[in-house]
Structures are given as C-alpha cells and as structure tokens.
Amino acid sequence: MNLASFRPIWPALTLLASGALLAGAHAFETFGGLTPCLLCLKQREFHWGVVGVSVAALIIVRFWPALSRWAVVAIGLALLGAGAMALYHVAVEQHLLVAQCDVGAIDPGSLSFENLGEDIHPPNCDEIAWQMFGISMAGYNAIISLLLALATFAVALARGERK
C-alpha cells in the first residue's frame, strides 16, 4: 500500500489525533485536577488549529481532490507549529529558556466574593505538573505532534495516484 493512498483519509486521522490530544489535556484538567499554565493553553490553541485545518482539508479533499496534496501539507504545517510550541514549553520547563508566565490560567469557578482579597497563584510554566518516564505532558505533546507532522509530510509528498 502506497502512502499516497492515505491522502484522502489523512485529514480525518489528524482530526482524530489532535482531538484525542485535546481530550487528554482536558481530562488531566477535569479529572486529574491539574490547572494548565499559559503555555499549556497555547499548546491547545495549536491543536484547535489542527482540528480546523483538518476539517477544511476534509472539504477540499472531497470537492477538489486535485488539491489534496496541498491540503495535507497545510495540516503538516499546523502540526509542526503545535510541535514547536510544545518544544518551547519543554525548554521552559527544563529552564533552558525563560518565559514570562506571570499570568496563568485561573479556574473562574474558584473565584468568589469570599476569596476576593486572597492572592491568586496560577501555575508556573517552568514547573512540571505531571510526568511519566521523565517526560512531561509538554514533552509527550512535542513527540506526538512532531511525529504526526513528519508522517503528514510523508503522506503529502508520496508519489501516487491523486484522489
């Protein structure tokens, strides 16, 4: 089976992959009690972008199949951006770069008139909230996003019948 034969369904696969990454991030927040920092939220924005580009690519592949290669390239660029943002967050976590993350994510439900005078401490971007095998969530996001970007470019550049 040629990689080019995946081109018609590739936007659906990337839509599912980014959707799964977003669902995982929201699950860690909702069920795991991990409040995302500002860079965590920025990573989510990139995956919402991948979702949007994948939906647009599904439409393009359906109605203008001659443009399917370019639609898949656009998905690859969005995934590359997601991977780059995640790598930046990893560099901040490892104290290789300094990020201005004074304003982080605050759960609006935690704000009330009773705690109006209390200090609010959003999570710091340079602190690892969760890790497995020495890799943080941002690290896993970087690995998955960059591997998906490479696979996406391979599918886009594969020679074969255009569908």
Side-chain angles (χ1 to χ4, degrees):
M1 181 176 263
N2 187 352
L3 277 179
S5 63
F6 285 101
R7 205 172 294 140
I9 62 165
W10 198 256
L13 296 176
T14 56
L15 174 71
L16 290 173
S18 275
L21 288 170
L22 285 166
H26 286 290
F28 271 95
E29 181 180 352
T30 304
F31 304 115
L34 297 178
T35 304
C37 71
L38 183 63
L39 291 180
C40 293
L41 294 175
K42 291 290 182 190
Q43 290 175 78
R44 291 181 192 183
E45 290 175 9
F46 275 92
H47 281 288
W48 280 114
V50 172
V51 167
V53 172
S54 295
V55 168
L58 279 170
I59 295 168
I60 289 169
V61 167
R62 172 71 174 103
F63 293 106
W64 300 282
L67 298 176
S68 65
R69 181 182 306 262
W70 294 106
V72 173
V73 166
I75 295 169
L77 292 173
L79 283 164
L80 202 57
M85 184 69 224
L87 277 177
Y88 175 70
H89 193 182
V90 169
V92 170
E93 288 175 338
Q94 298 300 317
H95 304 285
L96 301 172
L97 295 172
V98 177
Q100 187 68 10
C101 292
D102 292 336
V103 180
I106 301 296
D107 179 19
S110 68
L111 301 176
S112 68
F113 286 112
E114 289 81 29
N115 64 6
L116 206 55
E118 295 177 14
D119 287 336
I120 297 174
H121 300 287
N124 293 326
C125 295
D126 63 347
E127 294 177 4
I128 298 172
W130 180 90
Q131 63 181 348
M132 185 172 65
F133 307 120
I135 301 173
S136 67
M137 285 198 323
Y140 283 108
N141 184 14
I143 292 167
I144 294 167
S145 296
L146 292 174
L147 286 175
L148 278 170
L150 285 174
T152 300
F153 289 130
V155 168
L157 297 175
R159 295 193 183 272
E161 195 176 316
R162 292 186 195 175
K163 292 185 178 187

